[in-house]
């Protein structure tokens, strides 16, 4: 038998109001947790971008002459692969180099226009076994004079150290975000359990007169989802505001270079908002679903 | 209508609430369950709408083996079984009308059907004038009438009554029994657990006596003792 929509709306609404303090606690916890997740996602994307996709363990670049022949490139690759000091290498051909070039200089389209992909040097990115700067530059020397090599460059130690620290920090932030989401789910679980308890007499009567299990459960599950979703909508709003404020205050502004370079695309923002809304609704459904399954056993 | 074959119910390793009960109740019968407290009367009733499941034996209600009913079908069984209690189990924050309507809302009946059925049943139990009152504004007898209206509004095949007059004075009890008798005359099977000697001896209906979970007497047109 179909469950009437107006019944579910009415019951959910009155439950939400009846339990207003707990409902607010759940909603605000979800909002804070998800705003944290959304904002840290954007910052993470921004940091990744500002370091030009630099892997924290890539420390050496070997640039080839634009005119280098395929044989020359092949022999440099072979020398790199055979070197005992090299852990791994990645080769960037002209297409990939151009892609990266366009990304790095996207603020200067005229400059990008003026460059022909053919003129860009192909390069190897090398992860050495040692992290010691002196050892790495000694390794680099071996390759400088090979035919076709334009120049060997080293990642600045500071940049890669910062990047490595930020990666670690990012890992912590992600774990903290998961912990906050877990707390939200538990709070929603508790709120719904309380709601079930508050309505135990009605539930007993419903059982008695033959209300179906889903008829009894659905308003509670919807209540949990609504709590998750309202929290998520607030979080999405906060994430959005953060995006606006960040761009207004830091991006392409005078001030600390490090912050000015941290930016992201509208697509990243949309992804963050959609993610926040989805996680909110799912967290609400899980919290209330578990509560209902446990306290409304048929 | 109701058939128990070798039914035993044991509560968590404690005593046996019901021992090897075998009994058959025909459609339209009015049956009293008598016996001292703890003799198994309430368990007997709770087994019939599957509020409990037996450890042994088979229970048929309305031609169905209710033990083999999957749990999602149990609500549909209960729509055919009305239940009333000593403590009425009315919802204090709902009016008389809302309490009765709730039974139909809970099984998803459309509003128009509810608006038609509730005044009819309130008229039947004699509470038309009290439909806007809350339970705490009613006498015990009136509250029991509301609970009967709620139990009977679906026109169930069976009405289970667990000491319905237990909280009422004798004069009020007579009124409730008249109402149950009227419901029984519409063809509804009534099974009523009671301690009320006067009622059983006056009505002279079938009496099933339980003693420590065992059926010790099954008498047509019986008396309390």
């Amino acid at each position: 038998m179909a469950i009437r929509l107006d019944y579910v709306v009415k019951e959910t609404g009155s439950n939400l109001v009846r339990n207003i303090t707990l409902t607010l606690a759940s909603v605000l916890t979800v909002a804070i947790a998800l705003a944290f997740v959304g904002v840290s996602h954007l910052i993470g994307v921004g940091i990744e971008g500002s370091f030009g996709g630099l892997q924290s363990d890539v420390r050496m670049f070997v640039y080839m002459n634009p005119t280098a022949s395929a044989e020359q490139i092949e022999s440099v690759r072979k020398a790199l692969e055979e070197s005992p000091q090299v852990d791994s290498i990645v080769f960037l051909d002209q297409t990939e180099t151009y892609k990266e070039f366009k990304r790095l200089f996207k603020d200067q389209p005229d400059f990008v226009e003026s460059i022909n992909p053919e003129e860009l040097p192909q390069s190897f990115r090398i992860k050495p076994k040692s992290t010691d700067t002196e050892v790495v530059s000694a390794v680099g020397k071996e390759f400088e004079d090979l035919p076709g090599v334009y120049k060997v460059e080293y990642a600045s130690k500071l940049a890669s150290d910062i990047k490595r620290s930020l990666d670690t920090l990012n890992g912590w932030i992600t774990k903290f975000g998961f912990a906050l989401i877990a707390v939200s789910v538990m709070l929603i679980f508790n709120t719904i359990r309380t709601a079930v308890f508050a309505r135990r007499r009605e539930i007993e009567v419903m059982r008695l007169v033959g209300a179906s299990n889903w008829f009894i459960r659905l308003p509670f599950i919807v209540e949990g989802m609504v709590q998750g979703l309202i929290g998520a909508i607030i979080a999405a709003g906060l994430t959005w505001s953060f995006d606006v404020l960040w761009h207004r205050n830091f991006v392409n502004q005078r001030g600390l270079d490090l912050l000015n370079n941290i930016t992201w695309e509208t697509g990243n923002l949309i992804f963050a908002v959609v993610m926040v809304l989805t996680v909110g609704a799912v967290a609400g459904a899980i919290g209330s679903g578990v509560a209902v399954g446990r306290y409304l056993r048929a | 209508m109701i058939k128990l074959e070798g039914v035993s119910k044991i509560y968590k390793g404690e005593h046996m609430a019901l021992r090897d009960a075998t009994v058959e109740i025909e459609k339209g019968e009015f049956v009293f369950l008598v016996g001292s407290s703890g003799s198994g009367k309430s368990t007997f009733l709770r087994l019939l709408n599957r509020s409990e499941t037996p450890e042994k034996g088979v229970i048929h209600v309305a031609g169905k083996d209710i033990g083999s009913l999957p749990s999602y079908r149990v609500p549909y069984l209960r729509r055919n079984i009305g239940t009333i209690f000593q403590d009425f189990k009315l919802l204090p924050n709902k009016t008389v009308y809302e309490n009765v309507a709730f039974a139909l809302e809970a099984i998803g009946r459309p509003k128009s059907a509810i608006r038609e059925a509730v005044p009819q049943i309130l008229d039947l139990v004699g509470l038309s004038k009290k439909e806007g009152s809350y339970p705490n504004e009613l006498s015990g007898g009136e509250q029991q009438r509301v609970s009967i209206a709620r139990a009977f509004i679906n026109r169930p095949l069976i009405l289970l009554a667990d000491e319905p007059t237990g909280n009422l004075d004798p004069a009020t009890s007579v009124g409730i029994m008249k109402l149950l008798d009227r419901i029984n005359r519409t063809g509804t099977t009534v099974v009523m657990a009671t301690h009320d000697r006067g009622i059983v001896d006056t009505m002279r209906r079938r009496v099933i006596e339980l003693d420590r979970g065992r059926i010790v007497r099954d008498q047509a047109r019986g008396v309390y003792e």
Side-chain angles (χ1 to χ4, degrees):
Chain A
M1 183 169 306
I3 295 173
R4 287 192 347 232
L5 183 68
D6 62 337
Y7 168 81
V8 176
V9 170
K10 192 183 82 188
E11 289 301 300
T12 305
S14 75
N15 275 354
L16 286 168
V17 173
R18 188 188 323 229
N19 231 333
I20 191 72
T21 48
L22 268 177
T23 300
L24 276 179
S26 302
V27 167
L28 290 178
T29 311
V30 172
I32 291 165
L34 291 178
F36 179 84
V37 170
V39 166
S40 59
H41 171 76
L42 290 182
I43 294 178
V45 169
I47 288 173
E48 204 63 42
S50 75
F51 282 83
L54 172 65
Q55 300 292 303
S56 54
D57 40 14
V58 170
R59 290 177 166 260
M60 192 170 91
F61 306 82
V62 174
Y63 291 97
M64 304 302 294
N65 275 318
T67 53
S69 69
E71 290 82 39
Q72 285 173 334
I73 292 171
E74 211 35 56
S75 73
V76 171
R77 180 203 295 279
K78 227 172 152 195
L80 282 167
E81 278 168 355
E82 280 166 7
S83 163
Q85 289 293 335
V86 171
D87 186 32
S88 64
I89 57 170
V90 174
F91 178 67
L92 263 73
D93 64 12
Q94 268 151 349
T95 335
E96 279 170 68
T97 309
Y98 187 59
K99 241 191 261 168
E100 179 131 345
F101 174 78
K102 273 199 294 193
R103 197 169 60 75
L104 286 172
F105 294 98
K106 63 169 182 275
D107 300 336
Q108 292 145 272
D110 294 344
F111 179 52
V112 173
E113 274 307 297
S114 70
I115 298 292
N116 185 338
E118 315 262 297
E119 293 164 3
L120 290 168
Q122 308 186 76
S123 64
F124 292 96
R125 292 183 170 182
I126 294 120
K127 179 183 164 192
K129 285 200 172 119
S130 166
T131 53
D132 188 313
T133 323
E134 281 175 32
V135 178
V136 173
S137 63
V139 175
K141 289 257 170 359
E142 293 176 29
F143 298 96
E144 265 172 6
D145 298 329
L146 289 179
V149 171
Y150 168 61
K151 141 173 176 200
V152 174
E153 276 195 349
Y154 308 94
S156 117
K157 179 145 168 48
L158 182 65
S160 72
D161 280 354
I162 291 175
K163 177 68 165 69
R164 201 204 313 255
S165 304
L166 288 175
D167 281 350
T168 310
L169 201 60
N170 214 0
W172 293 349
I173 287 171
T174 307
K175 282 179 197 134
F176 188 57
F178 274 113
L180 281 180
I181 289 171
V183 170
S184 310
V185 170
M186 281 186 257
L187 248 174
I188 289 173
F189 168 87
N190 236 315
T191 310
I192 299 304
R193 191 178 62 167
T194 310
V196 169
F197 186 73
R199 302 197 55 205
R200 65 196 180 285
R201 294 175 67 121
E202 272 163 78
I203 291 167
E204 185 189 3
V205 172
M206 285 198 225
R207 288 252 165 78
L208 213 59
V209 299
S212 68
N213 294 338
W214 277 110
F215 186 87
I216 297 174
R217 289 170 176 190
L218 198 62
F220 292 111
I221 292 180
V222 173
E223 184 186 346
M225 283 183 72
V226 167
Q227 288 177 4
L229 211 52
I230 294 176
I233 289 168
I234 297 173
L238 291 173
T239 308
W240 198 284
S241 322
F242 171 79
D243 172 87
V244 172
L245 288 176
W246 185 270
H247 279 92
R248 188 181 300 158
N249 288 301
F250 295 121
V251 179
N252 299 328
Q253 306 286 321
R254 280 163 195 268
L256 193 57
D257 247 4
L258 188 65
L259 290 182
N260 292 351
N261 282 327
I262 296 178
T263 184
W264 49 85
E265 319 261 329
T266 313
N268 298 124
L269 174 64
I270 290 167
F271 174 84
V273 165
V274 170
M275 171 182 77
V276 159
L277 293 176
T278 312
V279 173
V282 171
I286 290 175
S288 55
V290 174
V292 159
R294 204 186 265 188
Y295 297 100
L296 282 183
R297 205 149 276 164
Chain B
M1 181 57 53
I2 297 169
K3 198 160 104 185
L4 278 73
E5 288 171 284
V7 172
S8 295
K9 173 71 195 173
I10 305 153
Y11 285 115
K12 292 236 165 87
E14 277 178 49
H15 63 294
M16 282 179 97
L18 208 58
R19 275 170 217 250
D20 198 25
T22 298
V23 68
E24 195 167 348
I25 296 170
E26 300 294 333
K27 178 169 166 42
E29 271 195 276
F30 195 120
V31 179
F32 286 117
L33 288 177
V34 302
S36 55
S37 298
S39 59
K41 303 189 297 293
S42 293
T43 301
F44 189 106
L45 294 178
R46 290 174 63 78
L47 285 166
L48 296 184
N49 68 5
R50 232 182 87 164
S51 295
E52 305 279 357
T53 47
E55 269 65 45
K56 253 171 58 190
V58 183
I59 302 172
H60 286 270
V61 172
K64 282 203 190 93
D65 172 5
I66 64 168
S68 63
L69 222 51
S71 66
Y72 75 90
R73 294 293 311 173
V74 170
Y76 300 93
L77 167 75
R78 293 191 185 145
R79 289 175 195 187
N80 283 318
I81 304 177
T83 318
I84 60 174
F85 298 90
Q86 183 171 3
D87 60 358
F88 322 127
K89 296 198 193 297
L90 298 178
L91 300 172
N93 56 340
K94 288 187 192 288
T95 63
V96 166
Y97 182 97
E98 289 164 346
N99 262 284
V100 176
F102 188 62
L104 293 178
E105 280 170 12
I107 59 173
R109 288 287 155 80
K111 276 195 180 116
S112 56
I114 296 175
R115 270 196 294 269
E116 201 183 305
V118 177
Q120 273 180 23
I121 198 89
L122 286 178
D123 189 40
L124 177 79
V125 302
L127 282 177
S128 293
K129 294 202 175 95
K130 302 263 184 176
E131 65 168 42
S133 304
Y134 287 89
N136 64 1
E137 298 164 353
L138 301 177
S139 71
E142 288 167 333
Q143 291 188 48
Q144 192 59 287
R145 284 168 190 272
V146 178
S147 106
I148 291 170
R150 183 177 67 191
F152 193 59
I153 195 162
N154 271 320
R155 312 286 157 166
L157 300 167
I158 299 168
L159 187 72
L160 305 177
D162 196 352
E163 306 206 23
T165 60
N167 276 345
L168 306 176
D169 61 66
T172 312
S173 299
V174 169
I176 295 295
M177 290 316 296
K178 279 195 179 138
L179 185 55
L180 291 181
D181 189 43
R182 241 178 105 184
I183 285 171
N184 176 235
R185 283 172 204 279
T186 66
T188 302
T189 310
V190 178
V191 183
M192 170 170 159
T194 187
H195 278 129
D196 196 324
R197 175 190 305 264
I199 286 172
V200 177
D201 290 349
T202 320
M203 300 261 298
R204 298 303 297 260
R205 299 300 180 97
R206 180 176 173 186
V207 173
I208 295 172
E209 185 179 346
L210 289 163
D211 181 27
R212 278 164 290 175
R214 226 182 264 289
I215 295 177
V216 293
R217 178 163 61 107
D218 186 348
Q219 189 180 14
R221 304 186 57 77
V223 291
Y224 190 76
E225 264 177 335

